[in-house]
Amino acid sequence: MHPEKRVYRRRFLAGTAALGAVGTAGCLSGSDLPVVGSSVDTEFERTDAELAAHEPPEVTVDGNTVAVRGTIEFGSSECGTVDLAYTEYEYSQERLDLLVVAADDSGVRTGCSDDLVEAGYRLEATVNEGVRRVSATEHHVFGETYSTTVEGVD
């Protein structure tokens, strides 16, 4: 491509991008687009197993605070753990989604133990807005999935 055409092309693209930004500025403010992942404070801790691993998580809602507890089976007492993998609040539907998983904690270690372990967890999530629906899901080491959904919460 000729050097002058490159300059014109760059100017054209830069101008088009600037006009696009100016043209849409203000279109998004005050819109009804969902705000995802905002305003959720979480506390997560591993505990002794109080529930059976094949039982779905227990979910309680008290105002804007959601408490979840459960038990997850994971592989290797030396290299595995339970972890909060996903927390998302969807504003327009006032929906909170939580995912707790069996996780690999081996890092760069090789040679993990070959045992299966069950560990409990306790999760507390506080949402600054309202909560109408909560879904808590557990993913265990061999792909088993257990969920609890609470709807109609005000």
Side-chain angles (χ1 to χ4, degrees):
M1 183 179 290
H2 193 273
E4 286 180 29
K5 289 184 180 180
R6 283 189 199 148
V7 170
Y8 292 129
R9 182 172 177 237
R10 287 185 189 140
R11 285 183 187 160
F12 172 76
L13 292 174
T16 303
L19 284 175
V22 169
T24 59
C27 289
L28 299 178
S29 64
S31 71
D32 291 330
L33 292 175
V35 177
V36 178
S38 65
S39 62
V40 178
D41 295 319
T42 60
E43 292 181 27
F44 182 84
E45 65 180 337
R46 219 172 115 172
T47 64
D48 292 332
E50 296 178 11
L51 303 171
H54 65 275
E55 293 178 7
E58 287 184 356
V59 177
T60 57
V61 181
D62 184 15
N64 291 349
T65 301
V66 175
V68 181
R69 60 185 204 112
T71 300
I72 292 188
E73 183 178 55
F74 60 93
S76 181
S77 58
E78 295 174 355
C79 298
T81 191
V82 176
D83 201 7
L84 175 61
Y86 181 81
T87 301
E88 189 162 343
Y89 179 77
E90 203 289 320
Y91 180 77
S92 68
Q93 296 181 18
E94 296 181 330
R95 185 185 77 227
L96 178 64
D97 295 314
L98 305 163
L99 174 63
V100 180
V101 299
D104 181 4
D105 191 25
S106 63
V108 294
R109 284 186 286 189
T110 58
C112 297
S113 61
D114 201 8
D115 56 340
L116 290 177
V117 181
E118 292 182 359
Y121 67 90
R122 188 182 81 64
L123 165 62
E124 189 172 292
T126 303
V127 180
N128 294 335
E129 291 84 10
V131 178
R132 290 189 314 184
R133 181 175 188 256
V134 176
S135 179
T137 303
E138 298 174 345
H139 282 222
H140 294 246
V141 69
F142 293 117
E144 295 93 352
T145 303
Y146 302 97
S147 294
T148 300
T149 299
V150 178
E151 297 190 56
V153 180
D154 287 323

